Amino acid sequence: MTQNSASKDQKESGQTPQGSRQIRELDQANDASLPGGRTTQPEADAAGSENTYVELRHVSKSFGDFKASDDVSFTVEKGKLAGLLGPSGSGKTTILRILAGLETADSGDILIDGKVVNDIPASKRGIGFVFQSYALFRYMTVFDNIAFGLAIKKTDRKIIAEKVNHLIELVGLAGLGGRYPTQLSGGQRQRVAFARALATEPHLLLLDEPFAAIDAKVRKELRGWLKELIQRVGITSIFVTHDQDEAIEVADQIIITNRGHVERSGSPLEIYNNPQSSFVTQFVGQPTVIENPGRFKGFRRLGDKGGKAVLRPEFISVTKIGEPLKYVITAEDAVVEESYFRGGDFELRVRVNDQLLTVNRPITQEPIRVGEQVKIFISSLYLLDGDKAVTVMNESLSNRSSIYEI
Amino acid sequence: MKIEDPKAVKWTLIGITAAFLAVMLVLPLTYVLFTAFRSGLEGFVAAVTDKYALHAVYLTVIVTLMAVAVNVVFGLYTAWALTKFSFRGKKLLSTIIDLPLTVSPIIAGLIFVLTFGRQSVLYPYLSDLHIKIIFAVPGIVLATVFVTFPFISREIIPVLNAQGKDEEEAAALMGAGAFRIFRQITFPHIKWAFMYGVVLCTARAMGEFGAVSVLSGHLRGKTNTMPLYIEILYQGYDFTGAFAVSSLLVVMAILILIARNVLEHRSKAQYLKNRRKA
């Protein structure tokens, strides 16, 4: 069985139980880096898995002529934090709103905890929702905002006060309960929105671009905070983002959407190391699309038939002339055209065979100047083949002669 | 003197506005009061305490209250429907609401005469039920409601549109019902715009002449509102009476204007208070 057909099966069957998951992650990581590695993932039928908490089955939704969701199917396990990742307009938010009951699917089933919830109104689904705009009630104090859901459930006043104060403390806003939303910073509002969504102790938390409206520095801090808090509360959560760093850093599982359908679902490591589809390959990481990959040394066996491939900076190493070189035969000559200091390393733009490539060099190594002649070595690339993407190793690393045996 | 001199521009503009208002508003109003008291205080008192005059005041207040009450409900519902939901024909509905602002009040009156009058298909049923609409109080109320119905919804719609649906959706997701959402989330937001709409609606309802004129039948002591009564007095060359009752209507209008300014001031103060705290 080839890697591609295996991945297709996996995509359709959704998630495997948690236990085998860890192992599979490692397997897949190995698959991507080892030449000739076969996919040995266990083909568990996840649709019936005990751990599945949220499931979408062939959900479609159109707004006029626009297909916002096109046969969307995926599953999320109980207690996991899943990220819906995709470019803007790819239908992520629609999926979230359908799950919450704020939009009605044209066809397909939505299952939460094993029950079809298609006909259950939003107010009865018991879902916590954090809006992109936070949607805090602007005429209510922080306390009243968080207490709102509890007051509806006719909870005893004392218990409400206790719970709300506990939540205010939990999200680090102690002493700010009497403030109005307009008197809070963006990060603080986000925390209130989060506390409010958690107040009624929902079993599912949905977050729409939770960090989009926050400046970069606070965002980074809030991400870690959110992940930790969600793990502590142990609530199944799905968040929408267009920022892959955010998804990779925060999520246990990433669901990649493109033009209304799900391209791929899996752990961040799986998706990063084994993107499988052409779209995902060109979306995650820091991809450079190159034409005619057969012209690069080490990939001659791809022939001169043209085609496209994707390179990432981590696939390329750069060495100064005179530095020891492991694979001399398959190293290319290159000229450094640009150099950017990125803190931990330099990001270099090098020209090889008329192709500009991006490569990183740690600052601990001897610096390379702009205009300098260097050697680069491409360890692997993703060959794009229609909708698919296949890993191709450099000949020096692979003892096989044909890619089709990978 | 340069034309760009802001001080000169400022005082020129103020001067023009003041002169315009003096000629168009202050002078006529002064003349109204002057004529009203021309035959002395006694004449004025006699004119406004006249049986028919009192009834006209009474009818105007009643009609205004009813029209405002109907339009409060109608205005809130329409504004809610037009801003919180998407549906087919929404644009059309939104346009139709503005119709009373563009159509002549006379036509509005005639529409109801045709709908409920003798030549209408509804007339036999209505007369069987002993319901009299044309040349009676219900007709006047109908006409007034028609003419004033855009005022409240038109004030609220922009505010609701600016607010978006997020807060309501958030409340709904937490299990809140429609009434609670309206009371706790939506209404606090539109409160001042709503009250302003009520003020405008009241002012217009009190002063409505055209549509009411067509439907009322001008029955003294029965279907004459203040504007109609004033016209009758005027046509009868009773200038003192006409202007005395007019001055009453003017005083009522001024009271409404004051109410409007107080509301505006309050909403501004509340806005500034929130801003300052932020």
Side-chain angles (χ1 to χ4, degrees):
Chain A
M1 184 166 59
T2 69
Q3 206 165 0
N4 288 324
S5 68
S7 71
K8 195 156 176 291
D9 288 350
Q10 183 233 338
K11 186 168 141 191
E12 280 173 358
S13 64
Q15 286 305 294
T16 50
Q18 202 177 345
S20 59
R21 195 182 144 100
Q22 296 289 327
I23 303 161
R24 203 183 68 209
E25 251 169 41
L26 289 171
D27 279 351
Q28 296 243 317
N30 289 339
D31 286 343
S33 52
L34 286 179
R38 271 170 201 281
T39 44
T40 50
Q41 39 182 286
E43 293 296 314
D45 180 20
S49 162
E50 275 175 46
N51 280 323
T52 299
Y53 192 73
V54 175
E55 184 176 1
L56 260 65
R57 285 186 191 155
H58 308 291
V59 169
S60 293
K61 168 84 185 172
S62 297
F63 297 104
D65 292 336
F66 178 67
K67 272 197 163 177
S69 299
D70 184 8
D71 196 25
V72 169
S73 301
F74 65 83
T75 59
V76 176
E77 285 173 34
K78 199 175 178 73
K80 292 286 171 191
L81 174 53
L84 276 165
L85 172 67
S88 48
S90 64
K92 322 176 281 283
T93 297
T94 305
I95 294 173
L96 209 66
R97 290 175 64 85
I98 287 174
L99 257 172
L102 293 172
E103 303 284 355
T104 321
D106 298 336
S107 62
D109 285 331
I110 302 118
L111 285 88
I112 296 174
D113 202 11
K115 284 186 280 288
V116 177
V117 296
N118 289 24
D119 297 326
I120 298 177
S123 55
K124 298 276 187 307
R125 285 191 194 181
I127 287 173
F129 199 103
V130 177
F131 286 79
Q132 187 175 357
S133 62
Y134 312 138
L136 297 180
F137 307 136
R138 65 190 94 177
Y139 291 98
M140 292 186 199
T141 59
V142 167
F143 184 97
D144 289 337
N145 260 281
I146 301 172
F148 188 82
L150 294 168
I152 288 168
K153 294 196 165 162
K154 305 234 186 319
T155 316
D156 185 72
R157 269 171 192 272
K158 264 190 194 159
I159 298 173
I160 292 182
E162 215 171 88
K163 272 193 174 177
V164 172
N165 286 326
H166 172 71
L167 274 165
I168 290 179
E169 208 134 297
L170 186 76
V171 299
L173 292 175
L176 300 181
R179 294 234 190 147
Y180 284 90
T182 47
Q183 298 166 269
L184 300 175
S185 72
Q188 288 171 330
R189 282 180 213 178
Q190 216 273 347
R191 287 160 190 256
V192 176
F194 193 70
R196 188 178 68 176
L198 286 180
T200 50
E201 292 170 17
H203 296 295
L204 177 61
L205 182 66
L206 305 176
L207 307 104
D208 188 5
E209 300 263 7
F211 309 110
I214 296 172
D215 56 273
K217 195 158 185 273
V218 185
R219 197 186 307 164
K220 194 106 177 131
E221 174 198 319
L222 266 179
R223 266 188 216 162
W225 172 83
L226 182 75
K227 186 175 170 90
E228 193 199 323
L229 196 56
I230 284 176
Q231 275 168 354
R232 204 172 348 147
V233 181
I235 179 174
T236 311
S237 307
I238 302 175
F239 72 102
V240 156
T241 180
H242 61 263
D243 179 349
Q244 56 159 313
D245 292 339
E246 193 170 294
I248 286 169
E249 188 183 320
V250 177
D252 298 316
Q253 176 195 351
I254 293 177
I255 299 151
I256 294 189
T257 57
N258 176 33
R259 278 181 280 144
H261 68 269
V262 172
E263 279 278 341
R264 182 105 154 73
S265 168
S267 77
L269 192 62
E270 242 175 275
I271 284 177
Y272 192 86
N273 276 341
N274 192 11
Q276 293 176 348
S277 90
S278 166
F279 171 79
V280 178
T281 309
Q282 292 176 70
F283 185 70
V284 300
Q286 203 184 330
T288 308
V289 181
I290 58 168
E291 305 272 349
N292 197 6
R295 67 196 153 117
F296 290 96
K297 284 182 186 166
F299 300 92
R300 299 281 192 229
R301 64 188 194 275
L302 296 175
D304 215 9
K305 62 184 181 316
K308 277 186 180 183
V310 168
L311 277 174
R312 289 192 192 151
E314 66 262 28
F315 294 167
I316 310 166
S317 54
V318 57
T319 42
K320 279 171 91 84
I321 308 283
E323 276 179 346
L325 209 58
K326 203 169 172 190
Y327 305 104
V328 185
I329 309 158
T330 47
E332 293 266 8
D333 290 310
V335 182
V336 179
E337 293 204 346
E338 290 161 57
S339 170
Y340 303 97
F341 180 50
R342 291 272 188 242
D345 48 23
F346 284 97
E347 186 178 305
L348 306 174
R349 298 279 150 76
V350 297
R351 192 168 287 282
V352 196
N353 287 349
D354 249 358
Q355 174 73 50
L356 208 52
L357 297 175
T358 303
V359 51
N360 296 327
R361 184 170 166 96
I363 50 165
T364 47
Q365 294 179 3
E366 205 182 323
I368 293 178
R369 284 170 295 105
V370 172
E372 196 172 330
Q373 286 278 343
V374 290
K375 289 274 185 188
I376 62 150
F377 173 73
I378 301 168
S379 58
S380 66
L381 52 75
Y382 292 119
L383 184 68
L384 302 182
D385 176 16
D387 295 341
K388 310 266 181 333
V390 196
T391 307
V392 180
M393 307 301 294
N394 189 303
E395 278 160 17
S396 301
L397 298 172
S398 162
N399 44 14
R400 310 251 170 178
S401 55
S402 164
I403 55 158
Y404 296 107
E405 283 179 26
I406 289 175
Chain B
M1 189 189 74
K2 281 196 295 180
I3 194 73
E4 290 88 1
D5 185 356
K7 244 186 194 161
V9 173
K10 177 180 159 191
W11 288 110
T12 312
L13 287 176
I14 290 175
I16 292 172
T17 313
F20 183 82
L21 287 179
V23 174
M24 299 298 291
L25 274 172
V26 181
L27 209 61
L29 284 179
T30 321
Y31 186 70
V32 165
L33 289 175
F34 178 75
T35 321
F37 287 101
R38 199 163 50 182
S39 357
L41 192 63
E42 281 163 43
F44 177 84
V45 172
V48 297
T49 52
D50 177 82
K51 184 175 90 175
Y52 295 124
L54 285 178
H55 187 268
V57 173
Y58 164 78
L59 187 63
T60 299
V61 171
I62 290 294
V63 167
T64 302
L65 285 178
M66 286 170 86
V68 169
V70 170
N71 282 331
V72 161
V73 176
F74 177 83
L76 283 174
Y77 270 96
T78 334
W80 177 269
L82 283 179
T83 50
K84 301 292 163 183
F85 302 100
S86 323
F87 52 90
R88 209 174 272 268
K90 181 171 158 171
K91 277 227 171 85
L92 186 73
L93 193 62
S94 170
T95 312
I96 288 178
I97 287 173
D98 283 339
L99 200 64
L101 293 178
T102 49
V103 92
S104 161
I106 295 285
I107 295 167
L110 287 175
I111 291 169
F112 287 109
V113 170
L114 289 174
T115 317
F116 300 111
R118 280 186 187 281
Q119 61 279 75
S120 155
V121 284
L122 293 172
Y123 189 76
Y125 304 105
L126 290 171
S127 52
D128 278 354
L129 295 165
H130 302 286
I131 294 173
K132 205 161 156 36
I133 291 175
I134 305 302
F135 308 137
V137 176
I140 298 171
V141 175
L142 268 181
T144 311
V145 166
F146 178 86
V147 171
T148 57
F149 81 53
F151 288 99
I152 292 177
S153 55
R154 277 292 149 216
E155 285 300 316
I156 305 172
I157 285 170
V159 183
L160 282 180
N161 267 336
Q163 189 196 13
K165 292 190 278 195
D166 283 3
E167 286 179 45
E168 275 87 359
E169 282 181 346
L173 277 167
M174 283 184 258
F179 183 66
R180 184 191 281 266
I181 291 175
F182 178 76
R183 196 166 49 88
Q184 295 195 340
I185 312 296
T186 312
F187 192 72
H189 195 73
I190 59 169
K191 194 163 73 186
W192 298 113
F194 168 74
M195 292 201 182
Y196 190 58
V198 168
V199 165
L200 286 181
C201 184
T202 310
R204 187 77 171 80
M206 282 189 338
E208 175 51 25
F209 178 82
V212 170
S213 172
V214 176
L215 283 164
S216 111
H218 302 272
L219 305 171
R220 256 187 201 229
K222 278 197 175 145
T223 60
N224 265 348
T225 59
M226 284 171 82
L228 299 181
Y229 183 64
I230 292 165
E231 204 221 2
I232 289 176
L233 292 178
Y234 182 77
Q235 306 256 318
Y237 301 102
D238 180 359
F239 294 123
T240 306
F243 285 104
V245 180
S246 294
S247 62
L248 266 191
L249 199 54
V250 168
V251 168
M252 283 160 82
I254 289 172
L255 284 179
I256 300 243
L257 266 183
I258 291 171
R260 196 205 88 154
N261 279 347
V262 168
L263 286 182
E264 209 168 62
H265 179 75
R266 276 220 199 154
S267 71
K268 228 179 242 169
Q270 194 192 27
Y271 176 75
L272 287 176
K273 204 173 96 193
N274 279 344
R275 292 252 58 167
R276 210 168 33 240
K277 275 202 231 155

